[in-house]
């Protein structure tokens, strides 16, 4: 099992002030620009990370592990979501529920909806300006995005609300852990706050659910060091494929996306 890697040097990208300022600017730009589809920065777009995450989730849906649409009871067991009774007492399979951590402008959730994922989607961010931006984009996109919700919430300092509802089928992280690892803040135990991230994430994933994380600061092996190990309920499941390069006799990629599954 890989050991937890060494900490990164702190950076302004690990501060709330930086992200508040960045999203204040993007919010201002978006509010004043009604003639284009520019919704702000899409992180890791140069690596095609979002598209690769979507393709990975699509494959899980094709394999019956996740469910894109809500459907009636066909008598078969359903993976990737529970069942609930409708108004007539009939059991229905619920579509996959998504939680996006550090949602930014909400682009990943909007992309999921565009790919016809119909389940509940919630994006959370500790920056109020981020939430305002994502909410405005959803409103401008129209009624079909009205149920993609956004909420101001600090993962590391606040407990989840009633919206947790037993946990999400898929929890997403596209660069959020990277930013947290650049913070020099410490927790009550004197640890860098990134060290408590895994425990917080575990409680957001339903048992048997998945955590899909994309990073440019950590290799696949280093991410496994952060999220597996003693006491962890997360088990490595798979990695998203990226073009690789070889330098100095070692082969690697500039971005890593890993999927972990929470033990049932």
């Amino acid at each position: 099992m890989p050991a937890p890697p060494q900490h990164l040097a702190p950076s302004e990208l690990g501060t709330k002030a930086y992200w508040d300022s960045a999203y204040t600017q993007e919010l201002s730009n978006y509010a004043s620009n009604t003639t284009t589809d520019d919704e702000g920065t899409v992180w890791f777009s140069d690596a095609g990370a979002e598209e690769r995450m979507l393709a990975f989730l699509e494959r899980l849906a094709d394999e019956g592990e996740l469910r894109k649409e809500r459907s009636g009871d066909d008598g078969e067991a359903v993976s990737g979501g529970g069942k609930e009774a409708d108004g007539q007492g009939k059991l229905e399979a619920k579509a996959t529920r998504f939680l996006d951590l550090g949602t930014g402008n909400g682009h990943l959730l909007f992309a999921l909806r565009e790919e016809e994922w119909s389940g509940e989607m919630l994006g959370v961010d500790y920056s109020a300006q981020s939430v305002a931006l994502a909410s405005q984009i959803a409103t401008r996109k129209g009624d079909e995005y009205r149920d993609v919700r956004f909420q101001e919430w600090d993962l590391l300092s606040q407990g989840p609300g009633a919206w947790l509802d037993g946990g999400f089928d898929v929890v997403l992280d596209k660069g959020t852990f990277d930013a947290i690892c650049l913070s020099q803040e410490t927790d009550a135990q004197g640890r860098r706050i990134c060290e408590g991230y895994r425990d917080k994430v575990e409680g957001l994933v339903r048992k048997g659910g998945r955590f899909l994380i994309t990073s440019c600061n950590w290799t696949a092996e280093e991410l496994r060091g952060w999220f597996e190990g003693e006491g962890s309920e997360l088990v490595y499941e798979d990695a998203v494929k990226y073009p690789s390069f070889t330098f100095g006799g070692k082969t690697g990629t500039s971005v890593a996306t890993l999927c972990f599954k929470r033990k049932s």
Side-chain angles (χ1 to χ4, degrees):
M1 190 72 62
Q6 298 295 313
H7 288 298
L8 300 175
S11 160
E12 66 172 353
L13 273 72
T15 67
K16 186 173 183 295
Y18 174 88
W19 295 108
D20 282 343
S21 176
Y23 284 113
T24 294
Q25 184 62 54
E26 292 203 354
L27 182 61
S28 175
N29 293 343
Y30 185 74
S32 62
N33 189 352
T34 60
T35 60
T36 73
D37 294 327
D38 183 8
E39 298 172 355
T41 303
V42 179
W43 298 101
F44 307 127
S45 60
D46 55 342
E50 193 168 280
E51 293 81 1
R52 293 175 188 276
M53 293 173 78
L54 292 171
F56 180 82
L57 293 167
E58 187 76 30
R59 178 170 65 81
L60 289 179
D62 290 343
E63 294 171 355
E65 292 292 321
L66 302 176
R67 183 171 289 270
K68 296 185 76 170
E69 298 180 353
R70 185 186 185 98
S71 66
D73 187 4
D74 55 9
E76 297 180 359
V78 176
S79 299
K83 291 189 175 183
E84 63 179 14
D86 64 12
Q88 300 176 334
K90 180 181 179 181
L91 288 178
E92 293 187 340
K94 294 188 292 184
T96 296
R97 299 177 70 222
F98 288 94
L99 175 66
D100 187 23
L101 301 176
T103 195
N105 60 6
H107 196 274
L108 182 54
L109 294 183
F110 297 137
L112 283 165
R113 187 63 94 226
E114 288 163 9
E115 293 295 320
E116 301 181 343
W117 292 87
S118 62
E120 178 188 354
M121 295 185 186
L122 174 64
V124 295
D125 203 293
Y126 71 171
S127 171
Q129 289 78 7
S130 156
V131 172
L133 173 62
S135 298
Q136 286 192 18
I137 293 172
T139 298
R140 191 180 294 183
K141 281 181 172 292
D143 290 346
E144 64 215 83
Y145 296 89
R146 183 175 296 171
D147 62 344
V148 180
R149 299 185 297 116
F150 299 98
Q151 180 168 325
E152 182 182 351
W153 183 63
D154 189 335
L155 165 69
L156 296 177
S157 67
Q158 296 177 285
W163 47 261
L164 181 61
D165 191 26
F168 288 80
D169 299 308
V170 179
V171 174
L172 302 164
D173 177 326
K174 184 162 66 76
T176 297
F177 182 60
D178 281 355
I180 290 172
C181 288
L182 294 172
S183 172
Q184 63 182 350
E185 290 185 52
T186 56
D187 61 18
Q189 298 170 257
R191 307 175 302 174
R192 288 271 292 270
I193 57 172
C194 58
E195 293 185 47
Y197 184 77
R198 186 191 76 188
D199 289 342
K200 298 289 187 180
V201 167
E202 283 180 356
L204 302 173
V205 183
R206 70 166 179 83
K207 292 190 175 183
R210 290 171 170 84
F211 173 52
L212 186 63
I213 178 172
T214 294
S215 169
C216 66
N217 284 343
W218 304 107
T219 66
E221 183 178 14
E222 288 169 335
L223 284 176
R224 292 188 66 175
W226 278 111
F227 292 99
E228 290 186 293
E230 184 178 356
S232 177
E233 294 187 20
L234 298 176
V235 178
Y236 170 77
E237 183 176 40
D238 204 352
V240 173
K241 302 298 187 294
Y242 287 88
S244 61
F245 61 88
T246 301
F247 181 78
K250 293 187 177 182
T251 299
T253 63
S254 58
V255 174
T257 299
L258 267 59
C259 182
F260 297 89
K261 191 170 184 178
R262 185 180 176 189
K263 298 175 184 176
S264 299

